[in-house]
Structure formats: structure tokens, C-alpha cells
């Protein structure tokens, strides 16, 4: 059984002409790291937050979002509380915005489990658990008595990871957790997340716009554009042989140390506006391979020949065969 199983997820918001998420299918197995990549506004964060049913006001939802086999979208209030305090946890993008600066780190770590009736955890047990998890993320017990402003951004993100593990979750949602950090600290957090996954067997959905980070941490990758999954597959195969022009364009626009200077490659145009309906392939106006069929007909998601688990939604996947970042 998958830790997370999203099937046909469609979310429509008031005032939009098309769904924000247009039929998303995504799975995360126990102990697996899955990366969800794409430009800002593609629907990555909304997809991850659906696992906690943290949806915008007025959202109309279709499909299923199952965690451990239970559909989150049909849970009652008590079931949803249990899910959010013990089964699924989220690591947010900016730790300083997620932690109350006027409360000590020890309070932040222990409150969620001591104030939730269903956990049955005492303050003494919660403190012992907090010390254990701080040690797991490379911090000592002295951090419990400190305020958020007394520690660095990297240390605070480690505290966020420890807090996410307090309820022994089966699924971690990491929403661009390294964006606010310097490059060295980013590498430390990525290594820490990999270590945590291996030690606790937790499924990890890693949301990012950085393909290099996705390659460093993930087993499988989903590429999202305009609220749809346009390509998915094992990380190694997807990065070596992208089957969708959008994936190839993202790879081509990544800065490379071996090619310093010069102009960076960019994807021309803008993502489609939510106030406009989509006809055909949503990437067609920006795609160098687009033809009349792309404007008229949305592509089916089909397997890549000879590459198990690799799938793409493109009319011209065969024209990308054998290409990579130079596509």
C-alpha cells in the first residue's frame, strides 16, 4: 500500500475558468522520496497540501487523496485532526514564518503532541522525544530553551524537521524547505532528509522548482505544468532522457559550472492564466515542437518505450528521444 495515493485530483477555485489542478495522479511509497517539480504557480504546493486537506476557501474538489488507504477528502473533523497530528507532517518553506518568535523552541516541539487528546503523551515523554529528535537532526538539548531568533536559519529548519517527526508520521511533505537557506546549508538539509527517511522509513514528497535538488534526493520525479502532471518517472531516467519539452527546457535552463558565463537558457512566454480556458496542450504556446495537433488536442499520458515507469503527456515525445538538457 502506498503512503500517499492521489487519483484524479481536480480542484477548481472561484473566479477561475479552469481547474487549478486538472486531474493529478501521484503516489509515494513507504520509505520513498518523490520530487514534485515545476515553475511557481504550477500547482505543486496545492497538490502537497491536499494530503492534509489544507485547501483554499471555496475550493471544489473531485478525485481521491488517500493516506495509508484512507481518503483524506472524506474524513470527519476527528479523523482529520488525527491525520494532521500523527500521520502526515509538513516542513514549510520559511521556518521563521512558521515558528512563533515569542515562544521557546521546546514549547514549539512539544505542544502539538501534549495538547492533542488522541496522542496520550505527557510533557515528560514529549520532552524526551524532542531531545531524541533534536539529536537525530544534529542539535542538542540546549536548543529547547532558546528562542527562534537565537539560532541560525539552518538550525531552525532542523528544528522544523524535528517538529514534523514528533508525531511519528508515515508521510512528510517538504514544501521547498531549502529556499530560504544558503547553498551549504541546503546541502546539509538535503542530506539530513535522506538520513531521516532511511532511519524512520517515512515517505517523503519533496516540492521544489530546483531540478538539481530533485535529482540529488529523489527516487522518482513528477513534473507539473499548469496544474497537470506532464511527465513522471524514475529520477535517473527522467533527467537523462526527458520525454516532455517542458522537462527538457527546465533542464536546459539550469546553470552549469562547466559552462560559466554567457546567457542562461530561458523558457519563452508565460504559464497560462487561470482566467483562460485551456484547449489542447497547455505548454503548446511556449513549446518549440508544437504543431496544429498540440493546439487542438490535449495529449494522453503514455509510457516511454523501453523505460519502465517513465510516462509523458506529449504528442511529440518521440522527437525528444535520446536528448537531454540540450533539447
Amino acid at each position: 500500500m502506498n503512503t500517499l495515493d492521489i487519483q484524479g485530483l481536480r480542484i477548481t477555485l472561484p473566479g477561475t475558468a479552469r481547474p487549478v489542478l486538472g486531474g493529478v495522479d501521484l503516489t509515494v511509497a513507504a520509505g520513498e522520496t518523490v520530487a514534485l517539480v515545476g515553475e511557481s504557480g504550477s500547482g505543486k504546493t496545492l497538490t502537497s497540501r491536499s494530503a492534509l486537506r489544507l485547501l483554499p476557501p471555496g475550493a471544489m474538489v473531485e478525485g481521491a487523496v488517500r493516506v495509508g488507504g484512507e481518503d483524506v477528502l472524506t474524513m470527519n473533523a476527528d479523523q482529520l485532526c488525527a491525520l494532521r497530528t500523527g500521520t502526515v507532517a509538513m516542513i514549510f518553506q520559511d521556518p521563521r514564518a512558521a515558528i512563533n518568535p515569542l515562544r521557546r523552541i521546546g514549547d514549539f516541539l512539544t505542544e502539538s503532541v501534549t495538547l492533542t487528546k488522541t496522542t496520550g503523551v505527557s510533557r515528560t515523554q514529549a520532552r524526551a522525544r524532542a531531545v531524541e529528535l533534536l539529536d537525530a537532526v544534529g542539535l542538542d538539548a540546549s536548543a529547547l530553551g532558546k528562542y527562534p531568533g537565537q539560532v541560525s536559519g539552518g538550525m531552525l529548519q532542523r528544528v522544523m524537521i524535528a517538529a514534523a517527526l514528533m508525531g511519528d508520521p508515515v508521510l512528510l511533505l517538504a514544501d521547498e524547505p531549502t529556499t530560504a537557506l544558503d547553498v551549504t546549508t541546503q546541502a546539509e538539509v538535503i542530506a539530513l532528509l535522506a538520513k531521516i527517511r532511511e532511519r524512520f522509513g517515512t515517505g517523503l514528497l519533496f516540492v521544489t522548482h530546483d531540478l538539481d535538488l530533485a535529482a540529488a534526493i529523489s527516487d522518482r520525479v513528477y513534473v507539473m505544468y499548469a496544474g497537470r502532471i506532464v511527465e513522471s518517472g524514475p529520477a535517473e531516467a527522467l533527467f537523462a532522457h526527458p520525454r516532455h519539452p517542458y522537462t527538457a527546457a527546465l533542464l536546459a535552463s539550469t546553470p552549469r559550472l562547466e559552462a560559466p558565463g554567457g546567457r542562461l537558457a530561458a523558457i519563452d512566454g508565460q504559464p497560462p492564466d487561470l482566467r483562460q480556458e485551456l484547449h489542447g496542450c497547455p505548454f503548446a504556446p511556449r513549446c518549440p515542437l508544437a504543431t496544429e495537433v498540440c493546439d487542438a488536442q490535449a495529449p494522453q499520458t503514455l509510457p516511454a518505450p523501453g523505460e519502465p515507469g517513465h510516462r509523458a503527456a506529449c504528442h511529440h515525445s518521440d522527437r525528444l528521444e535520446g536528448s537531454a538538457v540540450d533539447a
Side-chain angles (χ1 to χ4, degrees):
M1 180 184 299
N2 288 316
T3 299
L4 176 64
D5 189 354
I6 299 177
Q7 295 181 351
L9 181 61
R10 294 174 62 88
I11 298 179
T12 305
L13 300 180
T16 61
R18 62 175 175 86
V20 181
L21 298 182
V24 172
D25 296 323
L26 181 150
T27 62
V28 181
E32 181 185 36
T33 297
V34 170
L36 182 59
V37 303
E39 293 171 288
S40 297
S42 60
K44 307 185 302 298
T45 294
L46 188 56
T47 300
S48 66
R49 292 193 175 203
S50 70
L52 289 166
R53 210 167 88 192
L54 294 175
L55 303 175
M60 297 178 59
V61 188
E62 302 173 44
V65 180
R66 295 185 178 88
V67 176
E70 299 293 326
D71 192 349
V72 176
L73 302 180
T74 61
M75 286 182 174
N76 59 36
D78 289 339
Q79 291 172 318
L80 200 56
C81 180
L83 173 90
R84 291 173 176 174
T85 56
T87 308
V88 183
M90 177 167 273
I91 304 167
F92 293 96
Q93 184 175 134
D94 184 358
R96 296 204 183 278
I99 300 178
N100 187 337
L102 303 180
R103 303 295 305 277
R104 296 181 189 273
I105 287 171
D107 296 329
F108 171 72
L109 288 173
T110 58
E111 278 183 341
S112 62
V113 291
T114 56
L115 298 181
T116 303
K117 296 178 181 179
T118 55
T119 62
V121 176
S122 68
R123 289 189 177 276
T124 301
Q125 291 171 321
R127 181 181 173 84
R129 174 68 172 165
V131 171
E132 176 191 352
L133 290 173
L134 284 175
D135 179 69
V137 299
L139 301 176
D140 59 42
S142 65
L144 294 174
K146 295 180 179 179
Y147 290 93
Q150 295 177 303
V151 301
S152 68
M155 291 177 66
L156 206 57
Q157 192 61 288
R158 290 170 181 265
V159 170
M160 283 291 296
I161 295 171
L165 295 170
M166 282 293 292
D168 291 322
V170 298
L171 175 66
L172 272 180
L173 308 169
D175 185 8
E176 305 208 32
T178 61
T179 298
L181 306 176
D182 61 75
V183 175
T184 301
T185 309
Q186 280 187 11
E188 292 175 352
V189 171
I190 292 300
L192 177 59
L193 286 172
K195 175 185 172 183
I196 292 296
R197 180 197 68 170
E198 183 177 349
R199 176 173 173 178
F200 295 97
T202 309
L204 174 61
L205 179 61
F206 188 84
V207 176
T208 183
H209 63 273
D210 189 324
L211 271 75
D212 283 343
L213 282 180
I217 195 172
S218 61
D219 301 303
R220 291 187 300 116
V221 178
Y222 289 83
V223 180
M224 177 170 271
Y225 185 79
R228 303 178 185 181
I229 301 297
V230 296
E231 185 169 6
S232 63
E236 185 176 351
L238 186 142
F239 288 124
H241 304 292
R243 297 287 182 164
H244 195 283
Y246 179 59
T247 309
L250 287 176
L251 288 167
S253 62
T254 302
R256 303 288 170 183
L257 290 176
E258 60 268 24
R263 189 178 182 85
L264 291 175
I267 306 174
D268 293 333
Q270 298 292 328
D273 195 308
L274 281 169
R275 295 168 295 182
Q276 298 177 345
E277 292 187 31
L278 292 178
H279 302 283
C281 174
F283 190 60
R286 309 173 71 186
C287 181
L289 303 181
T291 61
E292 290 183 2
V293 68
C294 303
D295 294 322
Q297 181 181 337
Q300 293 183 331
T301 302
L302 300 174
E307 298 181 25
H310 194 172
R311 300 169 61 84
C314 179
H315 293 294
H316 305 297
S317 288
D318 56 333
R319 294 171 62 185
L320 284 169
E321 186 170 356
S323 64
V325 296
D326 57 344

